[in-house]
Amino acid sequence: MSNIQLFNDRQIRAHWDNEQEEWYFSVVDVVAILSESEDPRNYWYVLKNRLKKEGSELLTFCKGLKLLAPDGKMRETDVLDTKGILRLVQSIPSPKAEPFKMWLAKVGAQRIDAIVDPEKSFEQGISDYAKKGYSKEWINQRLMSIEVRKELTDEWQESGITGDKDYAILTDEMTQAWSGKSVRQYKAHKGLRKENLRDNMTNLELVLNMLAEATTTEISKNEQPAGFDQSLKVARRGGSAAGRARQEIEKEVGRSIISQANAKTPKALDETREVLILEKINSEKSEYSRIRLK
């Protein structure tokens, strides 16, 4: 799928790779925006030679793809994936650098929050969610989910997990355990491609996903798994715990919690009533346990 992405009304040619599940962006188009050069092709040519002499890893991310040129013909041009574009941004002094990083986040950059200034990203995120029509309750759940996710990834790092692929596999197994769907199946269920799955969850789905991640974090802290294989088992257990909670809630509400709702209709993501039911169930369980202890 080819597409034109807009940054402040400026066009950036892009290509979606179905196999890699990744966006590739025209380097010249990005250079034109960041450098504001009258000749972005020459700017990129000079920059590329400089980076080559410096032994920069940026060029290893660069590849050629045929994109629609201004003359209406398909011509090969240099493209970079999201990670490559982030490296490119660091190589071009520009006041547009931070807004551009935020723009990348909106079009599907993964783990962009670890690169962008966390405070700016946090404040901008609240504003962006509100502008898109998300409810206050949903936004609160989403912000909590970001914190819970960060605690989990920090714990995985302590367990020796560092590769993006390993993070993806652990997340996939945990999601499968609580929702009954892999991340890809879940996104397909909601009609998503590269969009962030959590941004398209109902607030009840977010609660259950947080429960899976928080439980996985606590089990990992208690058992201190070493390496990927042991962490994978812990992720499945944490997800399964949330999966049992999901089944109990579904009995209470009489329907599946795994919703097809997505961010195209943000109001449909608000399920505050069901979240209150979950809180009531947990409260009753706590009270029952307290009485038994007496």
Side-chain angles (χ1 to χ4, degrees):
M1 177 181 67
S2 295
N3 204 351
I4 298 291
Q5 300 293 326
L6 294 177
F7 172 76
N8 291 348
D9 297 324
R10 297 285 297 277
Q11 292 188 351
I12 297 178
R13 290 170 293 167
H15 173 78
W16 171 258
D17 188 314
N18 280 317
E19 188 172 320
Q20 297 295 324
E21 287 196 322
E22 183 61 81
W23 281 107
Y24 288 88
F25 303 93
S26 166
V27 175
V28 171
D29 294 352
V30 174
V31 167
I33 290 171
L34 294 177
S35 69
E36 298 183 340
S37 170
E38 294 182 0
D39 189 353
R41 291 185 182 280
N42 185 63
Y43 189 104
W44 170 232
Y45 175 79
V46 173
L47 177 60
K48 185 160 59 170
N49 284 334
R50 192 195 82 199
L51 293 172
K52 186 176 182 180
K53 291 179 181 178
E54 294 174 354
S56 172
E57 294 183 353
L58 173 63
L59 299 182
T60 64
F61 291 91
C62 193
K63 69 178 186 177
L65 281 180
K66 286 189 175 182
L67 300 178
L68 188 65
D71 61 6
K73 296 182 179 181
M74 298 296 291
R75 299 186 182 279
E76 186 167 295
T77 186
D78 287 341
V79 298
L80 287 166
D81 62 11
T82 299
K83 291 180 181 179
I85 291 294
L86 285 169
R87 289 173 180 254
L88 177 66
V89 171
Q90 294 171 351
S91 302
I92 303 176
S94 173
K96 296 180 181 179
E98 290 304 317
F100 195 84
K101 289 177 183 179
M102 293 302 302
W103 176 82
L104 274 180
K106 293 177 183 178
V107 294
Q110 292 182 322
R111 282 172 283 281
I112 189 71
D113 54 328
I115 301 171
V116 182
D117 184 325
E119 183 176 348
K120 291 182 180 178
S121 178
F122 187 81
E123 293 174 354
Q124 185 66 42
I126 295 175
S127 176
D128 287 345
Y129 284 133
K131 289 177 182 177
K132 290 178 180 179
Y134 290 99
S135 71
K136 181 179 179 180
E137 290 78 12
W138 186 94
I139 294 173
N140 288 336
Q141 296 289 354
R142 183 67 180 100
L143 295 179
M144 288 176 61
S145 76
I146 293 173
E147 181 179 352
V148 171
R149 175 68 180 181
K150 182 65 169 59
E151 290 178 2
L152 175 58
T153 55
D154 287 347
E155 177 59 28
W156 278 343
Q157 286 182 354
E158 289 293 323
S159 301
I161 309 301
T162 57
D164 288 349
K165 186 176 181 181
D166 288 343
Y167 279 109
I169 294 173
L170 292 173
T171 300
D172 196 62
E173 289 291 330
M174 184 174 56
T175 303
Q176 175 83 49
W178 82 257
S179 71
K181 296 180 183 295
S182 66
V183 171
R184 179 172 292 188
Q185 291 170 338
Y186 209 150
K187 293 175 75 170
H189 183 69
K190 288 178 172 288
L192 308 175
R193 289 196 177 105
K194 190 65 175 179
E195 298 93 331
N196 187 299
L197 178 58
R198 294 173 187 82
D199 280 353
N200 290 271
M201 284 183 172
T202 65
N203 48 17
L204 187 51
E205 287 174 306
L206 281 172
V207 167
L208 288 167
N209 193 66
M210 282 191 287
L211 178 60
E213 294 185 331
T215 304
T216 300
T217 301
E218 288 305 308
I219 296 174
S220 183
K221 287 180 178 178
N222 289 338
E223 301 186 3
Q224 298 183 346
F228 176 80
D229 290 341
Q230 292 182 21
S231 293
L232 183 63
K233 294 178 181 178
V234 170
R236 288 170 177 162
R237 288 165 58 195
S240 295
R244 292 190 290 273
R246 174 179 66 84
Q247 293 172 359
E248 187 168 347
I249 297 168
E250 288 178 342
K251 290 180 182 178
E252 293 286 337
V253 300
R255 62 174 175 79
S256 173
I257 295 305
I258 309 304
S259 171
Q260 289 184 306
N262 58 48
K264 292 178 182 178
T265 53
K267 289 184 179 180
L269 298 177
D270 186 15
E271 293 178 336
T272 307
R273 182 179 66 86
E274 283 81 354
V275 174
L276 292 175
I277 289 175
L278 173 60
E279 292 176 351
K280 182 174 182 293
I281 291 172
N282 290 335
S283 176
E284 290 174 348
K285 282 184 176 180
S286 297
E287 180 64 17
Y288 176 70
S289 298
R290 186 181 66 80
I291 293 173
R292 285 190 64 187
L293 288 174
K294 285 184 176 181

